[in-house]
Amino acid sequence: MHTSSLTCALIPFQGFLGSLESSSHSCLQWRNPKRTCSQKASKPYITAQLELKPPPYPLNSLEPHMSRETLEYHWGKHHRGYVETLNKQIIGTELDGMALEDIIILTYNRGDPFPAFNSAAQIWNHDFFWESMKPGGGGKPTGNLLQLIERDFGSYKEFVKEFKLAASTQFGSGWAWLAYKANRLDVGNSINPRPSEEDKKLVIVKTPNAVNPLVWDYSPLLTIDVWEVLIHSMTHQIF
């Protein structure tokens, strides 16, 4: 019988160089954008509508851990709503035509985000969330990723324990993340949540609402959506 669970998904995005499985972890780097953002409309841009990406598997393929009905509702309604809202928010502004990651970073505004941030970050988070699961996935990783987990958490078992704890203790809507923390103590557009910790290591962080590790210049590797309908059924099926 096939099972579904979260497994590491490395999605290409701004600043992330190299793969944990194909290169040494010394290649993990993150470039620090130096842009600013305002809510004022700028000169006309060519409108580039963002599109709703489907999950990379049939909607019923994660059953019994996530039903087709749940995925249709979560992806087909909520995820779709964020895409439609963001397209309306950015049309005719300086954000129109930008990459989704740039919109997220520019609109975070040190924790006092502009209106487009929630929609943009929720789109990215959900795209990443769908990629973090696959039918028959999960289990203990291998290669460089396992080495980093054992180095930074002591063991895979301890990592699983800490990751589940982060997800189950995030109050209300939010996310739990496994991320790579690069050497970026001064990000500029945000406040680093762990400025005193050693850099260049894996960390587990939890974030409220739409916030994700991109705003701290971290490289996300795995996430779980702490959505009220899902948390009870999924935290026991991740690994």
Side-chain angles (χ1 to χ4, degrees):
M1 178 177 69
H2 289 290
T3 60
S4 65
S5 55
L6 296 177
T7 185
C8 180
L10 301 179
I11 299 179
F13 53 82
Q14 174 189 339
F16 188 72
L17 302 177
S19 165
L20 284 173
E21 294 300 331
S22 61
S23 62
S24 67
H25 38 267
S26 62
C27 293
L28 289 171
Q29 301 175 22
W30 193 261
R31 72 179 169 87
N32 193 9
K34 296 295 183 180
R35 302 179 184 177
T36 59
C37 178
S38 69
Q39 299 184 74
K40 296 180 181 179
S42 184
K43 296 179 180 180
Y45 283 82
I46 297 175
T47 300
Q49 289 283 305
L50 294 163
E51 297 182 353
L52 176 67
K53 296 180 182 178
Y57 35 73
L59 298 185
N60 64 348
S61 61
L62 299 183
E63 293 179 340
H65 308 296
M66 184 186 291
S67 69
R68 180 186 181 95
E69 291 75 17
T70 297
L71 195 52
E72 285 176 341
Y73 184 79
H74 197 174
W75 168 75
K77 180 178 179 180
H78 289 284
H79 194 172
R80 183 184 302 278
Y82 295 128
V83 173
E84 293 174 350
T85 298
L86 182 61
N87 280 325
K88 294 175 183 177
Q89 289 172 321
I90 66 176
I91 188 169
T93 74
E94 62 192 36
L95 301 175
D96 200 350
M98 283 188 180
L100 188 59
E101 294 81 3
D102 287 331
I103 296 175
I104 292 169
I105 293 170
L106 296 177
T107 58
Y108 183 62
N109 193 34
R110 294 185 68 86
D112 185 20
F114 296 121
F117 173 78
N118 184 72
S119 300
Q122 289 287 20
I123 293 169
W124 195 96
N125 294 355
H126 282 84
D127 284 342
F128 192 83
F129 180 48
W130 308 136
E131 293 282 353
S132 292
M133 298 182 288
K134 69 176 183 179
K140 194 173 184 178
T142 59
N144 287 336
L145 178 57
L146 179 59
Q147 292 176 19
L148 287 173
I149 287 175
E150 292 176 341
R151 184 196 73 181
D152 296 334
F153 298 101
S155 67
Y156 175 71
K157 182 179 180 180
E158 184 62 25
F159 156 69
V160 171
K161 178 182 176 181
E162 291 187 28
F163 192 77
K164 288 185 177 182
L165 180 63
S168 62
T169 56
Q170 170 57 39
F171 180 76
S173 176
W175 304 79
W177 305 84
L178 172 67
Y180 184 83
K181 182 174 184 280
N183 186 19
R184 292 289 185 272
L185 296 183
D186 183 11
V187 182
N189 193 39
S190 65
I191 300 174
N192 193 315
R194 298 188 172 188
S196 62
E197 284 198 10
E198 180 185 355
D199 288 317
K200 298 184 178 179
K201 63 181 291 188
L202 296 180
V203 294
I204 293 172
V205 292
K206 53 185 179 180
T207 60
N209 303 314
V211 177
N212 67 41
L214 295 181
V215 302
W216 306 316
D217 226 7
Y218 292 10
S219 302
L221 301 175
L222 176 70
T223 192
I224 181 170
D225 185 353
V226 188
W227 191 40
E228 289 81 357
V229 177
L230 297 177
I231 187 62
H232 296 294
S233 62
M234 292 194 64
T235 51
H236 300 293
Q237 302 293 343
I238 298 174
F239 304 99

